[in-house]
DNA sequence: GATAAAATGCAATGCAGTTGCACATGCTTA
DNA sequence: TAAGCATGTGCAACTGCATTGCATTTTATC
């Protein structure tokens, strides 16, 4: 099991340190996006900065993607397997539940085609929906 | 002219103080969304906190709406005339130009219908596109 | 003009993200 | 296996921005 995580990290060019394996394992078990604070709360013994840099590294290497859901804190979620170079990640939306305050990736909900005004050239799209998630509605 | 701005503010239940009239006048002249920092830079003599509270008040009363464009600073833009109770404002998208770093409201570009997974109930939608605006492309 | 309510200005706080630096750990090569 | 280098970690401190408390000033009302 841990072996698998190790090879996952190595495959992305990330040294599989103890902390990183723990964080990756944790991320794999979450259904909602994770903030730095969540990590801090879960890994009480770990250093905040290390967790911060772990997320940064994961983002850099394309293991997780950043989500700005309109709350004060940035969140991260594992990229879907098929996510290469963020191109795919840009195409799904994020759902922030106003009740349980979780943020969910909805990779199966693609962002529909947009008709921008003339000469506006899109490079990246971010779509966040607020409301009640399936557990809370 | 100032008289008009005054009645605008009064109509929304906002006392038309000198500062507020100046800020409103400034907002009316902008094509891009405005951050607190922009206001500070423009009104050198004014107090940062006052400007902050002015924007808050305007937002409260439905004169401007808040825009989180993914940059570190929150921006504000005047609501279109037809904007009542944010319902309308939720339906248009915001465009952040990576070159001139301005954020534009595109009220004429409506957000297409979304097909959310079962039991997800949307209340608010935020759609931000990054790319090159019509001036920079 | 007197009074109460609201706005303003200053100081200070809080929070999340970020950086610098010293130390520890892991990897590579001789 | 030991030496040496690159990388990761932990602590402290800083930054930028949002926000609040409080005393003072301004505005609306009578």
């Amino acid at each position: 099991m841990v072996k698998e995580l190790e090879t996952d990290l190595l495959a992305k060019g990330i040294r599989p340190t103890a902390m990183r394996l723990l964080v990756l394992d944790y991320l794999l078990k979450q259904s909602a996006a994770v903030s730095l604070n969540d990590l801090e709360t879960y890994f009480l013994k770990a250093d905040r900065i290390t967790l911060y840099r772990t997320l940064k590294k994961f983002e850099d290497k394309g293991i997780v993607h950043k989500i700005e859901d309109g709350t004060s804190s940035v969140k991260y979620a594992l990229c879907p397997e098929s996510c290469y170079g963020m191109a795919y990640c840009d195409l799904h939306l994020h759902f922030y539940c106003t009740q349980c305050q979780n943020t969910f990736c909805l990779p199966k909900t693609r962002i529909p085609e947009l008709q921008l005004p003339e000469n506006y050239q899109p490079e990246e799209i971010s779509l966040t929906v607020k409301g009640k998630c399936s557990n809370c509605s």
Side-chain angles (χ1 to χ4, degrees), chain A:
Chain A
M1 173 58 189
V2 170
K3 205 68 185 172
E4 282 174 33
L5 297 182
E6 276 194 38
T7 48
D8 282 357
L9 289 182
L10 284 171
K12 295 279 188 172
I14 302 176
R15 282 198 189 171
T17 66
M19 197 67 246
R20 289 171 177 173
L21 291 171
L22 288 172
V23 171
L24 178 55
D25 183 55
Y26 176 76
L27 288 172
L28 282 166
K29 289 174 180 157
Q30 305 308 308
S31 61
V34 165
S35 70
L36 179 54
N37 244 307
D38 296 334
L39 283 185
E40 261 186 280
T41 311
Y42 184 76
F43 296 105
L44 285 175
K45 290 169 293 182
D47 185 62
R48 172 188 175 75
I49 318 298
T50 302
L51 294 171
Y52 166 73
R53 283 190 270 225
T54 300
L55 286 177
K56 276 283 196 192
K57 173 68 70 171
F58 282 6
E59 188 197 1
D60 248 35
K61 300 295 184 177
I63 287 193
V64 300
H65 61 282
K66 188 189 275 196
I67 304 171
E68 283 149 9
D69 58 8
T71 67
S72 54
S73 68
V74 173
K75 296 190 180 60
Y76 294 87
L78 288 170
C79 292
E81 300 250 337
S82 51
C83 169
Y84 293 109
M86 295 303 293
Y88 176 93
C89 285
D90 291 346
L91 293 173
H92 70 268
L93 61 83
H94 297 121
F95 192 96
Y96 174 75
C97 176
T98 52
Q99 188 145 338
C100 64
Q101 299 183 355
N102 281 318
T103 299
F104 302 96
C105 260
L106 302 181
K108 290 184 182 155
T109 309
R110 297 306 189 85
I111 296 178
E113 195 76 13
L114 294 174
Q115 284 299 329
L116 292 173
E118 209 175 350
N119 291 327
Y120 279 79
Q121 305 193 338
E123 290 163 2
E124 212 183 305
I125 299 176
S126 156
L127 177 51
T128 305
V129 181
K130 288 186 190 177
K132 297 267 190 300
C133 74
S134 56
N135 289 327
C136 295
S137 68

